[in-house]
Amino acid sequence: MRALDAKHYLLEVALLRDKVASFDHYPFSLPAVRALDRLSFHPAMTFLIGENGTGKSTLLEAIAIAWGFNPEGGSINFGFSTRDSHSALHDSLRLTRGTQHPRDGYFFRAESFFNVATEIEKLDADEEPLANPPPPVAGHYGGRSLHEQSHGESFMTLFMERFGGNALYILDEPEAALSPTRQMAMLTRMHDLVKQRSQFIIATNSPILMAYPNAKIVRLSEAGLREVAYTETDYYSVTKEFLNRHERMLAELLGD
């Protein structure tokens, strides 16, 4: 995948360090945030990876809010709030936008997608009778309530029905409810959307998703942020080692 095949909607994010009162308090105490200066994004696919607690979801959330998305997820038009739990990091970020403007966009959070599904039902139920009523919001999600689908099915419905290209998609652990086969299907769908002028920024733990060709992979760790090749990631090496030597590794792990 060549870079010219996708639009560059979000060029980079910078931490305005002079706006940070203290790096001793969360989220600025996170090593990856503390070390952040500027982070540029690939025009097609950027992955943020790292162990739990390194701050990849916190940073992704702040980028999404700074862009204008609702903290709990959804399109740019969603403004509901179930619980105000996001950090203040977005107030200290500066986004550099490209000259191209996306037609659409979406912030997906696996942990709060239930809230988005509930808001969709609420918006359709609250619609006042009109002579020419707008189509129901659920129509953009296949016309079937996301709550009437399994967790994994609702994720795939979002990708297949709601996502339509020419967009900036910011995704937090989209693989959370998906089998390996479904993750491969998601990878195919993401590739189709990249060819339709979409840009993805994804926090993930999936070695399947981060295998996307020529993607930019940024590892967050105690040492800060560093761009790495796919085969340099622990996700790749540990998964490969386990699958190739699963009996021996299980014996080591289980002490048998």
Side-chain angles (χ1 to χ4, degrees), residues 92-110:
S92 299
L93 297 183
R94 182 181 66 231
L95 304 185
T96 301
R97 306 177 185 230
T99 57
Q100 300 289 332
H101 298 285
R103 183 184 64 191
D104 195 13
Y106 210 94
F107 176 35
F108 171 85
R109 304 186 65 172

Side-chain angles (χ1 to χ4, degrees), residues 8-143:
H8 224 155
Y9 302 123
L10 181 52
L11 301 178
E12 69 172 22
V13 60
L15 178 63
L16 303 176
R17 306 183 74 85
D18 59 338
K19 296 187 67 173
V20 179
S22 172
F23 283 95
D24 294 328
H25 302 290
Y26 178 86
F28 304 101
S29 58
L30 293 168
V33 176
R34 183 191 294 269
L36 178 62
D37 181 23
R38 296 176 182 273
L39 174 61
S40 61
F41 300 105
H42 190 278
M45 195 77 62
T46 301
F47 293 109
L48 304 181
I49 67 171
E51 291 296 330
N52 296 337
T54 55
K56 60 182 183 296
S57 292
T58 300
L59 178 57
L60 191 81
E61 173 194 75
I63 293 169
I65 297 173
W67 183 269
F69 288 115
N70 181 52
E72 294 186 49
S75 71
I76 206 76
N77 297 318
F78 277 59
F80 71 97
S81 177
T82 302
R83 182 173 183 269
D84 189 10
S85 61
H86 58 281
S87 75
L89 178 56
H90 63 280
D91 290 327
S92 299
L93 297 183
R94 182 181 66 231
L95 304 185
T96 301
R97 306 177 185 230
T99 57
Q100 300 289 332
H101 298 285
R103 183 184 64 191
D104 195 13
Y106 210 94
F107 176 35
F108 171 85
R109 304 186 65 172
E111 68 177 22
S112 58
F113 192 54
F114 179 93
N115 300 343
V116 173
T118 300
E119 178 66 11
I120 291 170
E121 289 191 345
K122 180 177 181 295
L123 288 171
D124 286 341
D126 290 346
E127 191 68 55
E128 295 183 4
L130 299 172
N132 296 299
V137 180
H140 297 290
Y141 297 80

Side-chain angles (χ1 to χ4, degrees), residues 166-185:
N166 289 95
L168 172 66
Y169 297 117
I170 300 178
L171 315 177
D172 187 17
E173 299 186 354
E175 77 281 0
L178 300 181
S179 69
T181 301
R182 284 292 181 93
Q183 289 182 44
M184 288 187 282

Side-chain angles (χ1 to χ4, degrees), residues 235-249:
Y235 300 89
Y236 172 84
S237 59
V238 171
T239 303
K240 180 181 179 181
E241 183 75 2
F242 184 85
L243 293 177
N244 288 340
R245 301 172 55 249
H246 68 279
E247 291 180 344
R248 181 174 178 178
M249 289 198 69

